[in-house]
Amino acid sequence: MAGAPAIKNLNKAHLVEEEIVDEAYDYIIAGGGLAGCVLADRLSADGTKKVLVLEAGRPDYDKTIIRIPAGILRLFRSVYDWQHETCGEKACNGRNIFLQRGKVLGGSSCTNVCLHFRGTEQDYNDWKVPGWSGAEVLPYFKISEGDETGRNPEFHGKDGPWKMDDVRYQNPLSKRFLEVGANAGLGTNDDFNDWSRPQHGVGRFTVSEDNGERCSGASAYLSKAMKRKNVTVRTSTMVRRINFDSEKTAASVTYDLMGDDTCKPFTAVLRCGGEVLVSAGAVASPQLLMCSGIGPADHLKEHGIPVISDAPGVGENLQDHPAAVVSFRTQAKGVSVTSKLRLFGMTNPFPIFQWLLFKTGLLTSTGCDHGAFVKTPAATSSQPDLQIRFLAARALMPDGMTTFIQFRNTKDLEDGYSFQSVAVRAQSTGRIRLASSNMHVKPVIDGGYLSNPADLATLREGIKLGRYLGNRAEWGEFKGEEVFPGPNVQTDDEIDEYIKDTLHTANALTGTCKMGTGPECVVGPDLRVKGVNNLRVIDSSVIPSIPGGQTATPTVMIAERGAVFIRNPSLAPKAPTILDEIVHQAETTSEKVGEKMVATPLDLTDAHEAILELIEIWKKTPDPQKYLLAT
């Protein structure tokens, strides 16, 4: 199997798996990424439920290169990266966009830039999903959070495992950027997760770090769960499909071993009443549903997959944060983080010693932990549409992801500073489709980048703002000369072409198993997959619309809520019943006349159709009185 090392002792490996599948489990978690780690910990905590976690990636979340935040420079396009690419982005001049996804326990929380954001309260209100308003999700953000900074307790928790801290290092260029941004009129913000104030302003970005180390889903949650006898974690295992009985109830999962060219299948079985929890992320979760027969029927039939549930929304609504870069070189020497990481063209050992001994210094930074949120003239709502991520380094290439990858192979680096503009409330959507019914074959990804013109307009304003900030006099001795886009890119059309040619991901993939109550939604407000039983999706793929900030912390919140819904179903929000819809129709489309509510003719028609539907269900229900009470 491509990308997986061959198993040395295949017979022994098969014997181990046969012991695993000889048991039955209360919960089988397909995917040991960030959400899967949260679920494994929370669902196993009382010791009464048997939990099996199946993760296709490696077990190495505790490797030093992952624990060091700056180690991210060596993680992209490594053995810890799925290395996905989109296929010929139409609005980006046909380019394939590289998508980094974590291939290790903890998933992308082991390979991201550690930024700790929730978005705003309005982001969740705008989901319009019952039970998921800002006020309803805030307690779960606080339960999960371990705030090390002493910020406002109204919006922060201090006892949770998902740590939040300020980076234990500030580059001189980053400090100067804060002065530049404030003097430029962007305002200041000392807590982007404080919902009592607007999000806009310049400030330091908090990070998911614990004592100067990366805080991942595996280190924060799964490491505790793995010590319990009722938890089994298997890595390098690819879940091939979810198996259903004749009642469309999830009964088991079939998986095989990465690196096993025989593809011998193993089947892990649920206990009676158990559930399969899909937590494989925005790319693999819809892929697994489709390979299991849940998805657009015509598409499944193209790949010879028997249809369990015709669910057109599976794989749709892919969202991300697109980004573009402005970068400057400075004549000041030895000031950029990239210069401080090199000594005579070699790796500088002193930052390594500082991190190993004290967990401080520049290795505690992923490089982009200062910045701003800005509402540009292109904004289509009252919220900021742009995030500026400041980097105390000159970009090697205008594609920010390529810069991260090439840095490790570059000996001599010019000093400088960069502004990564991120369309933080992007409105474009793409989709995931199968290339094969085999989960080992990567799916076809259409990122849909810039398919909504509003995103291009936001990034255009971001480029202009980056230039304005980079050229301000407050830089003093650090003031630089523009490298990207460069002096030949001036008009709006030229800026747009630059964006299309260099656009890259800010690694925030969401939305492909959309949560909600509409027909396009894959899961309901309780995270159950529609059309089948005992199956939920709980990860970033259920996010209906991408929040204005990096998406790791919202994913933790979703998993925390999912675990609560599973342990105590009475706390899970319910989708509206038919009678609720009738009442809603009357309330929202009728006119008040004096003391009476007079329905319009349209309302009467809609209500009549809903009542006829209710009568048909009544006729098919063995106990109509019981049904009426339930609804």
Side-chain angles (χ1 to χ4, degrees):
M1 294 171 186
I7 298 173
K8 294 180 180 179
N9 190 332
L10 202 55
N11 289 333
K12 182 178 179 181
H14 286 174
L15 287 173
V16 170
E17 297 310 317
E18 285 166 3
E19 291 181 7
I20 298 297
V21 299
D22 196 41
E23 301 279 345
Y25 298 89
D26 294 288
Y27 305 112
I28 299 175
I29 301 174
L34 176 54
C37 290
V38 176
L39 291 168
D41 178 34
R42 296 307 198 192
L43 295 176
S44 66
D46 66 3
T48 64
K49 303 294 184 182
K50 285 184 67 68
V51 177
L52 173 64
V53 180
L54 298 172
E55 163 58 36
R58 297 177 178 234
D60 304 341
Y61 74 91
D62 206 31
K63 291 282 188 180
T64 301
I65 193 63
I66 291 176
R67 290 165 49 216
I68 295 176
I72 190 175
L73 295 169
R74 296 188 175 274
L75 297 179
F76 291 1
R77 292 198 183 277
S78 73
V79 296
Y80 302 117
D81 181 4
W82 282 103
Q83 303 183 45
H84 289 293
E85 288 189 0
T86 68
C87 297
E89 293 295 318
K90 294 179 181 178
C92 297
N93 295 331
R95 296 169 53 236
N96 294 353
I97 307 295
F98 166 59
L99 303 176
Q100 181 277 327
R101 295 284 90 192
K103 191 178 182 182
V104 60
L105 282 176
S108 297
S109 69
C110 288
T111 59
N112 64 15
V113 293
C114 297
L115 299 185
H116 192 112
F117 288 114
R118 300 170 180 170
T120 66
E121 182 176 16
Q122 187 62 45
D123 288 329
Y124 301 95
N125 293 340
D126 287 345
W127 285 3
K128 294 181 170 57
V129 179
W132 290 85
S133 69
E136 288 165 307
V137 302
L138 178 59
Y140 294 84
F141 279 120
K142 294 174 65 175
I143 287 169
S144 66
E145 188 175 84
D147 175 21
E148 302 290 339
T149 69
R151 283 177 163 85
N152 186 353
E154 181 181 355
F155 297 98
H156 293 281
K158 64 178 182 178
D159 298 322
W162 187 241
K163 300 299 183 183
M164 184 188 82
D165 204 351
D166 292 316
V167 173
R168 300 181 173 193
Y169 169 77
Q170 267 192 301
N171 184 273
L173 291 170
S174 299
K175 292 180 181 179
R176 188 66 58 87
F177 162 75
L178 298 180
E179 298 176 22
V180 171
N183 290 336
L186 297 184
T188 61
N189 193 333
D190 63 356
D191 185 0
F192 293 98
N193 294 310
D194 183 340
W195 286 356
S196 68
R197 56 148 295 155
Q199 188 185 32
H200 69 264
V202 173
R204 300 184 68 180
F205 292 163
T206 50
V207 291
S208 296
E209 292 184 16
D210 185 5
N211 190 33
E213 297 189 21
R214 173 186 295 276
C215 181
S216 71
S219 63
Y221 288 92
L222 189 64
S223 59
K224 296 179 293 181
M226 291 173 70
K227 298 174 183 177
R228 300 174 187 139
K229 294 181 179 180
N230 58 321
V231 176
T232 301
V233 177
R234 304 300 300 152
T235 53
S236 299
T237 56
M238 175 67 79
V239 178
R240 298 289 295 269
R241 65 180 176 273
I242 303 158
N243 305 308
F244 298 88
D245 65 16
S246 59
E247 301 296 321
K248 298 187 179 181
T249 298
S252 62
V253 303
T254 296
Y255 69 94
D256 57 27
L257 304 180
M258 303 285 284
D260 178 3
D261 290 336
T262 71
C263 295
K264 180 177 179 177
F266 300 91
T267 300
V269 179
L270 285 173
R271 285 177 172 173
C272 182
E275 295 189 53
V276 174
L277 311 176
V278 177
S279 301
V283 174
S285 285
Q287 182 187 13
L288 178 56
L289 291 187
M290 287 188 279
C291 285
S292 303
I294 302 170
D298 291 342
H299 181 60
L300 302 185
K301 291 173 183 176
E302 289 174 2
H303 292 280
I305 300 171
V307 178
I308 302 297
S309 177
D310 181 10
V314 173
E316 298 291 335
N317 194 47
L318 174 63
Q319 298 168 68
D320 191 14
H321 288 151
V325 165
V326 173
S327 189
F328 294 77
R329 69 166 61 91
T330 176
Q331 296 302 313
K333 301 298 182 183
V335 67
S336 292
V337 291
T338 45
S339 295
K340 295 177 183 296
L341 288 170
R342 290 282 190 260
L343 186 65
F344 305 119
M346 307 289 287
T347 298
N348 185 350
F350 295 106
I352 298 174
F353 292 143
Q354 184 176 7
W355 185 87
L356 290 171
L357 293 173
F358 307 109
K359 297 297 187 295
T360 59
L362 64 91
L363 294 190
T364 64
S365 172
T366 58
C368 58
D369 40 59
H370 290 64
F373 284 83
V374 181
K375 181 184 175 184
T376 76
T380 58
S381 76
S382 60
Q383 300 210 84
D385 57 324
L386 180 72
Q387 180 189 30
I388 293 285
R389 304 203 298 201
F390 177 78
L391 296 92
R394 174 211 188 280
L396 295 172
M397 299 289 289
D399 176 340
M401 296 293 286
T402 302
T403 288
F404 265 74
I405 295 163
Q406 290 190 352
F407 169 77
R408 59 183 179 242
N409 299 318
T410 305
K411 291 184 177 181
D412 297 316
L413 297 144
E414 292 182 303
D415 287 271
Y417 48 90
S418 303
F419 306 85
Q420 185 189 42
S421 293
V422 179
V424 77
R425 288 183 172 87
Q427 300 176 49
S428 300
T429 60
R431 70 178 189 175
I432 306 287
R433 281 294 180 262
L434 297 178
S436 167
S437 61
N438 184 346
M439 281 290 295
H440 289 280
V441 178
K442 291 180 180 179
V444 178
I445 305 174
D446 174 7
Y449 292 106
L450 306 183
S451 56
N452 189 313
D455 298 342
L456 180 59
T458 289
L459 291 177
R460 185 191 310 129
E461 294 297 330
I463 296 296
K464 293 177 180 179
L465 179 58
R467 284 175 152 173
Y468 172 69
L469 294 174
N471 281 304
R472 285 185 65 87
E474 290 93 344
W475 286 104
E477 72 276 23
F478 300 136
K479 190 172 184 297
E481 174 188 4
E482 183 180 317
V483 178
F484 302 119
N488 295 328
V489 177
Q490 295 297 328
T491 68
D492 282 1
D493 286 344
E494 290 168 343
I495 293 172
D496 288 353
E497 281 303 302
Y498 169 77
I499 292 169
K500 293 174 184 179
D501 286 337
T502 65
L503 180 142
H504 51 281
T505 175
N507 289 311
L509 300 183
T510 64
T512 48
C513 297
K514 182 180 179 179
M515 172 176 59
T517 58
E520 80 284 3
C521 296
V522 178
V523 302
D526 58 0
L527 303 173
R528 294 182 185 272
V529 176
K530 298 180 179 182
V532 297
N533 306 308
N534 293 13
L535 175 64
R536 302 188 204 227
V537 178
I538 306 176
D539 60 21
S540 66
S541 71
V542 308
I543 292 176
S545 57
I546 196 164
Q550 281 57 64
T551 52
T553 296
T555 299
V556 171
M557 176 274 291
I558 289 167
E560 290 275 15
R561 283 173 64 80
V564 168
F565 299 166
I566 293 167
R567 293 197 309 266
N568 190 343
S570 67
L571 296 178
K574 303 293 191 297
T577 65
I578 295 171
L579 292 178
D580 292 332
E581 292 295 338
I582 294 172
V583 172
H584 178 68
Q585 286 281 345
E587 287 178 342
T588 57
T589 61
S590 59
E591 300 170 351
K592 189 170 184 180
V593 180
E595 296 297 321
K596 297 180 180 180
M597 299 297 290
V598 180
T600 66
L602 177 62
D603 300 331
L604 295 176
T605 300
D606 292 342
H608 181 253
E609 291 177 355
I611 290 169
L612 290 178
E613 184 181 353
L614 179 62
I615 291 171
E616 289 302 313
I617 296 175
W618 180 291
K619 290 177 180 178
K620 298 175 184 178
T621 303
D623 188 348
Q625 183 178 7
K626 185 176 181 180
Y627 173 79
L628 184 58
L629 290 172
T631 59

